[in-house]
Amino acid sequence: MNEKKTMLSGIQPSGELHLGTYLGPLRHWPNMIEEYDCYFFMADLHTITVRQDPAALRRRVLTQVAQYIACGLDPEKCTIFIQSHVPAHAQLGWVLDCYAMFGELSRMTQFKDKASKHKDNINAGLFTYPALMAADILLYQPDLVPVGDDQKQHVEICRDIAERFNGIYGEVFRIPEPYIAKVGARIMSLNDPSSKMSKSSPDGCLFLMEKPEDIMRKFKRAVTDSDTERCVRYAPQEKPGVSNLIQIYAAATGKSYDEIEREFDGQGYGKFKPAVGEAVVETLRPIQAETERLLADKAYLESVYRAGAEKASYTAEKTLRKVYKKLGFVAK
Ligand code: TRP
């Protein structure tokens, strides 16, 4: 009997992983694999709601697999897989399309957002995306789904769809809880500290594979605040730019905010910004090296995602069979 609770999370390989994802959720996942039975996947099916360059997508998915491992996810202790390798996602996704309502899908902020950004490609997949995401989750019957606030609405609609389905057919799906991590920083853009660090604004975003000199340049240019005090003090309301850098420095070095304020007492921002850059360079150096090493070892990477897909399929298909049976589909 497996006593551990189950947890599942995915990241869309629609862009390179960045520091916000790393210092936010990703860095804490290796601790979670001790406590939970974890599934981590590359949500490649989701990326095509927006047009992708096929070669770039393939490279990003493989890089993301390598980065998960390089960040400390031991493939022996958790299940790492590529979403499109487990057909049950698309299969349950279709079923849940028929249990997700037009009205509730229309209210999704991410749909409204993406539809306004890609006016020439408001495709049906973009609209029904939450049903596929619900399938991703419900197939594994997880207790918890760790997500950032931007994905909370999607976990809520997943619960609504699951409750609707269970209401008709009995207890088919476990109703998952969104898990908003207690630890884990919310990293803001380096050139606009009022918005979250995001790949859609690359100048303020620091990608995990960025070269040391580019990292240093981005930190030297990072926006600090226009207050007259010009001292390194953590005050997110008054000094969002500096506070964001303090947060990054704290996460990278393990120092407390107090220690950091003391360290740069009376020194202004000129010393502080490059120090943050260097700390980040040092934090990312081993991850970058390990990612490169893994990417060069195609056979190993392949063995990881194949074994992952096999493990994931076992669980996913069990749920899918149960769903098909409830629906009245004739068994094969
Ligand atoms: N929607 C998530 C994102 O945009 C990725 C994702 C797809 C996901 N399916 C999921 C996250 C299931 C958690 C659980 O990043």
Short mmCIF file of all heavy atoms in Angstrom, two decimals, residues 188-242:
data_model
loop_
_atom_site.label_atom_id
_atom_site.label_comp_id
_atom_site.label_asym_id
_atom_site.label_seq_id
_atom_site.Cartn_x
_atom_site.Cartn_y
_atom_site.Cartn_z
N MET A 188 9.70 39.22 -8.92
CA MET A 188 9.13 40.21 -9.83
C MET A 188 10.11 40.50 -10.97
O MET A 188 11.29 40.18 -10.90
CB MET A 188 8.80 41.50 -9.08
CG MET A 188 8.03 41.30 -7.78
SD MET A 188 6.52 40.32 -7.96
CE MET A 188 5.39 41.58 -8.53
N SER A 189 9.58 41.13 -12.01
CA SER A 189 10.39 41.49 -13.17
C SER A 189 11.52 42.43 -12.76
O SER A 189 11.34 43.30 -11.90
CB SER A 189 9.49 42.18 -14.19
OG SER A 189 10.27 42.88 -15.11
N LEU A 190 12.69 42.27 -13.37
CA LEU A 190 13.83 43.11 -13.01
C LEU A 190 13.68 44.54 -13.53
O LEU A 190 14.30 45.45 -13.01
CB LEU A 190 15.13 42.52 -13.55
CG LEU A 190 15.54 41.16 -12.98
CD1 LEU A 190 16.86 40.70 -13.60
CD2 LEU A 190 15.66 41.20 -11.46
N ASN A 191 12.86 44.71 -14.57
CA ASN A 191 12.70 46.10 -15.01
C ASN A 191 11.32 46.68 -14.75
O ASN A 191 11.05 47.82 -15.10
CB ASN A 191 13.13 46.29 -16.48
CG ASN A 191 12.33 45.41 -17.41
OD1 ASN A 191 11.40 44.74 -16.97
ND2 ASN A 191 12.69 45.42 -18.68
N ASP A 192 10.46 45.88 -14.11
CA ASP A 192 9.16 46.41 -13.69
C ASP A 192 8.70 45.63 -12.46
O ASP A 192 7.97 44.65 -12.57
CB ASP A 192 8.14 46.27 -14.83
CG ASP A 192 6.73 46.62 -14.35
OD1 ASP A 192 6.61 47.24 -13.27
OD2 ASP A 192 5.78 46.26 -15.05
N PRO A 193 9.16 46.07 -11.29
CA PRO A 193 8.87 45.28 -10.07
C PRO A 193 7.40 45.23 -9.68
O PRO A 193 7.06 44.60 -8.68
CB PRO A 193 9.70 45.99 -8.99
CG PRO A 193 10.08 47.30 -9.53
CD PRO A 193 10.00 47.25 -11.02
N SER A 194 6.52 45.85 -10.48
CA SER A 194 5.10 45.72 -10.15
C SER A 194 4.49 44.51 -10.85
O SER A 194 3.36 44.14 -10.58
CB SER A 194 4.34 47.00 -10.53
OG SER A 194 4.36 47.13 -11.94
N SER A 195 5.24 43.89 -11.78
CA SER A 195 4.67 42.68 -12.38
C SER A 195 5.60 41.49 -12.17
O SER A 195 6.81 41.63 -12.03
CB SER A 195 4.36 42.89 -13.87
OG SER A 195 5.54 43.23 -14.55
N LYS A 196 4.98 40.31 -12.16
CA LYS A 196 5.73 39.08 -11.89
C LYS A 196 6.75 38.82 -13.00
O LYS A 196 6.49 39.12 -14.16
CB LYS A 196 4.72 37.93 -11.89
CG LYS A 196 4.85 37.00 -10.71
CD LYS A 196 3.70 36.03 -10.67
CE LYS A 196 4.17 34.63 -10.93
NZ LYS A 196 3.14 33.61 -10.73
N MET A 197 7.90 38.26 -12.63
CA MET A 197 8.89 37.89 -13.65
C MET A 197 8.23 36.92 -14.62
O MET A 197 7.61 35.93 -14.19
CB MET A 197 10.12 37.24 -13.01
CG MET A 197 11.19 36.90 -14.03
SD MET A 197 12.70 36.26 -13.30
CE MET A 197 13.51 37.74 -12.71
N SER A 198 8.35 37.21 -15.91
CA SER A 198 7.66 36.37 -16.89
C SER A 198 8.42 36.36 -18.20
O SER A 198 9.00 37.37 -18.61
CB SER A 198 6.24 36.91 -17.07
OG SER A 198 5.78 36.62 -18.37
N LYS A 199 8.37 35.19 -18.86
CA LYS A 199 9.08 35.07 -20.13
C LYS A 199 8.48 35.99 -21.19
O LYS A 199 9.12 36.28 -22.20
CB LYS A 199 9.06 33.61 -20.59
CG LYS A 199 7.66 33.06 -20.78
CD LYS A 199 7.64 31.55 -20.70
CE LYS A 199 6.21 31.04 -20.66
NZ LYS A 199 6.02 29.73 -20.10
N SER A 200 7.24 36.45 -20.96
CA SER A 200 6.64 37.32 -21.98
C SER A 200 7.23 38.73 -21.94
O SER A 200 6.98 39.52 -22.84
CB SER A 200 5.12 37.36 -21.83
OG SER A 200 4.77 37.74 -20.54
N SER A 201 8.01 39.03 -20.91
CA SER A 201 8.72 40.30 -20.91
C SER A 201 10.20 40.00 -20.65
O SER A 201 10.71 40.12 -19.54
CB SER A 201 8.05 41.22 -19.88
OG SER A 201 8.94 42.02 -19.22
N PRO A 202 10.92 39.56 -21.71
CA PRO A 202 12.25 38.96 -21.57
C PRO A 202 13.34 39.88 -20.99
O PRO A 202 14.27 39.38 -20.37
CB PRO A 202 12.63 38.51 -22.97
CG PRO A 202 11.61 39.07 -23.89
CD PRO A 202 10.45 39.55 -23.12
N ASP A 203 13.18 41.19 -21.13
CA ASP A 203 14.23 42.08 -20.61
C ASP A 203 14.30 42.03 -19.08
O ASP A 203 15.38 42.12 -18.49
CB ASP A 203 13.99 43.53 -21.04
CG ASP A 203 14.29 43.70 -22.51
OD1 ASP A 203 14.96 42.81 -23.08
OD2 ASP A 203 13.83 44.71 -23.09
N GLY A 204 13.15 41.87 -18.46
CA GLY A 204 13.13 41.84 -17.00
C GLY A 204 13.19 40.43 -16.46
O GLY A 204 13.04 40.20 -15.26
N CYS A 205 13.40 39.47 -17.35
CA CYS A 205 13.32 38.07 -16.98
C CYS A 205 14.71 37.45 -17.06
O CYS A 205 15.47 37.73 -17.99
CB CYS A 205 12.38 37.37 -17.96
SG CYS A 205 12.10 35.65 -17.61
N LEU A 206 15.02 36.61 -16.09
CA LEU A 206 16.33 35.98 -16.11
C LEU A 206 16.18 34.48 -16.35
O LEU A 206 15.63 33.77 -15.51
CB LEU A 206 16.98 36.22 -14.75
CG LEU A 206 18.45 36.30 -14.97
CD1 LEU A 206 18.98 37.54 -14.38
CD2 LEU A 206 19.08 35.08 -14.45
N PHE A 207 16.61 34.02 -17.50
CA PHE A 207 16.42 32.62 -17.85
C PHE A 207 17.48 31.75 -17.19
O PHE A 207 18.62 32.19 -16.99
CB PHE A 207 16.40 32.47 -19.37
CG PHE A 207 15.27 33.24 -19.99
CD1 PHE A 207 15.46 34.51 -20.52
CD2 PHE A 207 13.98 32.70 -19.97
CE1 PHE A 207 14.39 35.23 -21.04
CE2 PHE A 207 12.91 33.42 -20.50
CZ PHE A 207 13.12 34.68 -21.03
N LEU A 208 17.10 30.51 -16.87
CA LEU A 208 18.01 29.65 -16.10
C LEU A 208 19.30 29.34 -16.85
O LEU A 208 20.33 29.11 -16.23
CB LEU A 208 17.34 28.31 -15.75
CG LEU A 208 16.25 28.32 -14.69
CD1 LEU A 208 15.97 26.91 -14.21
CD2 LEU A 208 16.61 29.22 -13.52
N MET A 209 19.25 29.36 -18.17
CA MET A 209 20.44 28.99 -18.93
C MET A 209 21.23 30.22 -19.40
O MET A 209 22.13 30.10 -20.22
CB MET A 209 20.06 28.11 -20.13
CG MET A 209 19.41 26.78 -19.77
SD MET A 209 20.36 25.80 -18.58
CE MET A 209 21.64 25.14 -19.66
N GLU A 210 20.89 31.37 -18.87
CA GLU A 210 21.57 32.57 -19.34
C GLU A 210 23.05 32.59 -18.95
O GLU A 210 23.43 32.12 -17.89
CB GLU A 210 20.84 33.80 -18.80
CG GLU A 210 20.46 34.69 -19.92
CD GLU A 210 19.39 35.71 -19.60
OE1 GLU A 210 18.43 35.41 -18.87
OE2 GLU A 210 19.53 36.81 -20.10
N LYS A 211 23.87 33.20 -19.81
CA LYS A 211 25.31 33.26 -19.57
C LYS A 211 25.61 34.22 -18.42
O LYS A 211 24.93 35.23 -18.27
CB LYS A 211 26.03 33.80 -20.81
CG LYS A 211 25.99 32.88 -22.00
CD LYS A 211 27.12 33.34 -22.95
CE LYS A 211 26.89 32.88 -24.37
NZ LYS A 211 25.87 33.66 -25.08
N PRO A 212 26.69 33.93 -17.66
CA PRO A 212 27.04 34.81 -16.53
C PRO A 212 27.09 36.29 -16.91
O PRO A 212 26.56 37.13 -16.17
CB PRO A 212 28.42 34.31 -16.10
CG PRO A 212 28.42 32.87 -16.50
CD PRO A 212 27.58 32.76 -17.74
N GLU A 213 27.68 36.61 -18.06
CA GLU A 213 27.79 38.05 -18.38
C GLU A 213 26.42 38.67 -18.65
O GLU A 213 26.20 39.84 -18.31
CB GLU A 213 28.76 38.31 -19.54
CG GLU A 213 28.47 37.60 -20.85
CD GLU A 213 29.16 36.22 -20.95
OE1 GLU A 213 29.35 35.55 -19.91
OE2 GLU A 213 29.48 35.80 -22.09
N ASP A 214 25.51 37.89 -19.20
CA ASP A 214 24.16 38.44 -19.42
C ASP A 214 23.42 38.60 -18.10
O ASP A 214 22.66 39.54 -17.91
CB ASP A 214 23.37 37.53 -20.37
CG ASP A 214 24.00 37.52 -21.76
OD1 ASP A 214 24.63 38.53 -22.13
OD2 ASP A 214 23.87 36.50 -22.47
N ILE A 215 23.65 37.64 -17.20
CA ILE A 215 23.02 37.74 -15.88
C ILE A 215 23.50 39.02 -15.18
O ILE A 215 22.71 39.81 -14.67
CB ILE A 215 23.36 36.50 -15.00
CG1 ILE A 215 22.80 35.23 -15.66
CG2 ILE A 215 22.85 36.67 -13.58
CD1 ILE A 215 23.12 33.94 -14.94
N MET A 216 24.82 39.22 -15.21
CA MET A 216 25.38 40.41 -14.55
C MET A 216 24.81 41.68 -15.17
O MET A 216 24.46 42.62 -14.47
CB MET A 216 26.92 40.40 -14.67
CG MET A 216 27.60 39.32 -13.87
SD MET A 216 27.18 39.31 -12.10
CE MET A 216 27.93 40.85 -11.57
N ARG A 217 24.73 41.69 -16.49
CA ARG A 217 24.22 42.89 -17.17
C ARG A 217 22.77 43.17 -16.75
O ARG A 217 22.41 44.29 -16.42
CB ARG A 217 24.31 42.69 -18.69
CG ARG A 217 23.91 43.90 -19.52
CD ARG A 217 24.18 43.68 -21.00
NE ARG A 217 23.76 42.34 -21.45
CZ ARG A 217 22.52 42.01 -21.74
NH1 ARG A 217 21.56 42.89 -21.69
NH2 ARG A 217 22.22 40.77 -22.11
N LYS A 218 21.96 42.12 -16.71
CA LYS A 218 20.56 42.33 -16.34
C LYS A 218 20.42 42.83 -14.90
O LYS A 218 19.58 43.67 -14.62
CB LYS A 218 19.75 41.04 -16.53
CG LYS A 218 19.44 40.78 -18.00
CD LYS A 218 18.43 39.67 -18.17
CE LYS A 218 18.04 39.54 -19.64
NZ LYS A 218 17.23 38.34 -19.90
N PHE A 219 21.29 42.31 -14.02
CA PHE A 219 21.19 42.79 -12.63
C PHE A 219 21.70 44.21 -12.48
O PHE A 219 21.15 44.99 -11.72
CB PHE A 219 21.87 41.82 -11.66
CG PHE A 219 20.96 40.70 -11.26
CD1 PHE A 219 21.10 39.44 -11.81
CD2 PHE A 219 19.92 40.92 -10.37
CE1 PHE A 219 20.23 38.41 -11.48
CE2 PHE A 219 19.04 39.92 -10.02
CZ PHE A 219 19.20 38.65 -10.58
N LYS A 220 22.75 44.54 -13.20
CA LYS A 220 23.25 45.92 -13.10
C LYS A 220 22.22 46.91 -13.60
O LYS A 220 22.14 48.03 -13.12
CB LYS A 220 24.57 46.06 -13.88
CG LYS A 220 25.73 45.46 -13.09
CD LYS A 220 27.05 45.64 -13.82
CE LYS A 220 28.14 44.82 -13.14
NZ LYS A 220 29.23 44.49 -14.07
N ARG A 221 21.41 46.45 -14.57
CA ARG A 221 20.39 47.35 -15.12
C ARG A 221 19.07 47.27 -14.37
O ARG A 221 18.11 47.96 -14.73
CB ARG A 221 20.11 46.97 -16.57
CG ARG A 221 21.18 47.43 -17.48
CD ARG A 221 20.64 47.41 -18.89
NE ARG A 221 21.73 47.44 -19.83
CZ ARG A 221 21.69 46.91 -21.04
NH1 ARG A 221 20.60 46.30 -21.45
NH2 ARG A 221 22.71 46.98 -21.83
N ALA A 222 18.98 46.37 -13.40
CA ALA A 222 17.70 46.16 -12.72
C ALA A 222 17.19 47.49 -12.16
O ALA A 222 17.96 48.30 -11.65
CB ALA A 222 17.86 45.14 -11.61
N VAL A 223 15.88 47.65 -12.25
CA VAL A 223 15.26 48.89 -11.75
C VAL A 223 15.32 48.90 -10.23
O VAL A 223 14.95 47.94 -9.57
CB VAL A 223 13.77 48.93 -12.21
CG1 VAL A 223 13.01 50.01 -11.48
CG2 VAL A 223 13.71 49.12 -13.70
N THR A 224 15.87 49.98 -9.71
CA THR A 224 15.75 50.19 -8.26
C THR A 224 14.78 51.35 -8.11
O THR A 224 14.23 51.82 -9.08
CB THR A 224 17.11 50.50 -7.62
OG1 THR A 224 17.84 51.34 -8.49
CG2 THR A 224 17.88 49.25 -7.35
N ASP A 225 14.61 51.81 -6.90
CA ASP A 225 13.48 52.71 -6.71
C ASP A 225 13.93 54.16 -6.73
O ASP A 225 15.09 54.47 -6.49
CB ASP A 225 12.80 52.32 -5.40
CG ASP A 225 12.50 50.82 -5.44
OD1 ASP A 225 11.68 50.42 -6.25
OD2 ASP A 225 13.16 50.07 -4.69
N SER A 226 12.97 55.01 -6.99
CA SER A 226 13.32 56.41 -7.16
C SER A 226 13.27 57.17 -5.83
O SER A 226 13.33 58.38 -5.81
CB SER A 226 12.39 57.05 -8.17
OG SER A 226 11.06 56.77 -7.78
N ASP A 227 13.17 56.43 -4.72
CA ASP A 227 13.15 57.11 -3.43
C ASP A 227 14.53 57.72 -3.17
O ASP A 227 15.53 57.31 -3.75
CB ASP A 227 12.75 56.15 -2.30
CG ASP A 227 13.72 54.99 -2.19
OD1 ASP A 227 14.30 54.61 -3.23
OD2 ASP A 227 13.90 54.47 -1.09
N THR A 228 14.58 58.69 -2.28
CA THR A 228 15.84 59.41 -2.06
C THR A 228 16.75 58.65 -1.11
O THR A 228 17.95 58.91 -1.06
CB THR A 228 15.57 60.81 -1.47
OG1 THR A 228 14.63 60.63 -0.41
CG2 THR A 228 15.01 61.73 -2.53
N GLU A 229 16.20 57.72 -0.36
CA GLU A 229 16.96 57.04 0.69
C GLU A 229 18.17 56.27 0.13
O GLU A 229 19.24 56.27 0.73
CB GLU A 229 16.00 56.08 1.38
CG GLU A 229 16.52 55.44 2.61
CD GLU A 229 15.50 54.42 3.14
OE1 GLU A 229 15.28 53.39 2.48
OE2 GLU A 229 14.97 54.66 4.22
N ARG A 230 17.99 55.63 -1.01
CA ARG A 230 19.04 54.87 -1.68
C ARG A 230 19.78 53.89 -0.78
O ARG A 230 21.00 53.75 -0.86
CB ARG A 230 20.03 55.80 -2.40
CG ARG A 230 19.35 56.72 -3.38
CD ARG A 230 20.18 57.13 -4.56
NE ARG A 230 20.74 56.07 -5.38
CZ ARG A 230 20.10 55.43 -6.37
NH1 ARG A 230 18.83 55.68 -6.63
NH2 ARG A 230 20.73 54.54 -7.09
N CYS A 231 19.06 53.25 0.12
CA CYS A 231 19.75 52.24 0.92
C CYS A 231 19.04 50.90 0.74
O CYS A 231 17.89 50.83 0.33
CB CYS A 231 19.84 52.65 2.39
SG CYS A 231 18.33 52.37 3.27
N VAL A 232 19.80 49.86 1.01
CA VAL A 232 19.29 48.50 0.82
C VAL A 232 18.41 48.14 2.02
O VAL A 232 18.91 47.79 3.09
CB VAL A 232 20.47 47.51 0.65
CG1 VAL A 232 19.97 46.08 0.53
CG2 VAL A 232 21.30 47.90 -0.58
N ARG A 233 17.12 48.28 1.83
CA ARG A 233 16.20 48.02 2.93
C ARG A 233 14.97 47.30 2.35
O ARG A 233 14.47 47.69 1.30
CB ARG A 233 15.78 49.33 3.58
CG ARG A 233 14.89 49.18 4.81
CD ARG A 233 14.81 50.49 5.58
NE ARG A 233 14.13 51.55 4.83
CZ ARG A 233 12.79 51.69 4.76
NH1 ARG A 233 12.00 50.86 5.38
NH2 ARG A 233 12.27 52.68 4.06
N TYR A 234 14.53 46.25 3.07
CA TYR A 234 13.39 45.49 2.57
C TYR A 234 12.10 46.19 2.95
O TYR A 234 11.75 46.29 4.12
CB TYR A 234 13.42 44.07 3.14
CG TYR A 234 12.35 43.19 2.54
CD1 TYR A 234 12.50 42.66 1.27
CD2 TYR A 234 11.17 42.92 3.24
CE1 TYR A 234 11.51 41.88 0.69
CE2 TYR A 234 10.18 42.13 2.68
CZ TYR A 234 10.35 41.61 1.41
OH TYR A 234 9.36 40.84 0.85
N ALA A 235 11.41 46.71 1.95
CA ALA A 235 10.14 47.41 2.16
C ALA A 235 9.34 47.30 0.86
O ALA A 235 9.37 48.19 0.02
CB ALA A 235 10.40 48.88 2.51
N PRO A 236 8.67 46.17 0.67
CA PRO A 236 8.05 45.88 -0.63
C PRO A 236 7.10 46.96 -1.14
O PRO A 236 6.99 47.15 -2.34
CB PRO A 236 7.34 44.55 -0.41
CG PRO A 236 7.57 44.15 0.99
CD PRO A 236 8.49 45.09 1.64
N GLN A 237 6.41 47.66 -0.21
CA GLN A 237 5.47 48.69 -0.67
C GLN A 237 6.21 49.92 -1.20
O GLN A 237 5.99 50.35 -2.32
CB GLN A 237 4.55 49.13 0.48
CG GLN A 237 3.67 48.04 1.02
CD GLN A 237 2.71 47.49 -0.04
OE1 GLN A 237 2.25 48.22 -0.93
NE2 GLN A 237 2.41 46.19 0.03
N GLU A 238 7.13 50.43 -0.36
CA GLU A 238 7.83 51.66 -0.75
C GLU A 238 8.94 51.43 -1.74
O GLU A 238 9.26 52.29 -2.53
CB GLU A 238 8.52 52.29 0.48
CG GLU A 238 7.64 52.72 1.61
CD GLU A 238 8.45 52.68 2.91
OE1 GLU A 238 9.49 53.38 2.97
OE2 GLU A 238 8.07 51.93 3.82
N LYS A 239 9.61 50.27 -1.61
CA LYS A 239 10.79 50.01 -2.43
C LYS A 239 10.68 48.65 -3.11
O LYS A 239 11.43 47.71 -2.81
CB LYS A 239 12.05 50.04 -1.52
CG LYS A 239 12.31 51.40 -0.85
CD LYS A 239 13.22 51.25 0.36
CE LYS A 239 14.66 51.04 0.02
NZ LYS A 239 15.38 52.28 -0.28
N PRO A 240 9.74 48.53 -4.06
CA PRO A 240 9.51 47.21 -4.66
C PRO A 240 10.72 46.68 -5.44
O PRO A 240 10.98 45.47 -5.41
CB PRO A 240 8.32 47.44 -5.60
CG PRO A 240 8.26 48.91 -5.83
CD PRO A 240 8.83 49.56 -4.60
N GLY A 241 11.46 47.56 -6.10
CA GLY A 241 12.61 47.11 -6.90
C GLY A 241 13.69 46.53 -6.03
O GLY A 241 14.16 45.40 -6.24
N VAL A 242 14.12 47.29 -5.02
CA VAL A 242 15.17 46.83 -4.12
C VAL A 242 14.71 45.60 -3.34
O VAL A 242 15.47 44.65 -3.16
CB VAL A 242 15.58 47.97 -3.15
CG1 VAL A 242 16.54 47.46 -2.10
CG2 VAL A 242 16.20 49.12 -3.93
#
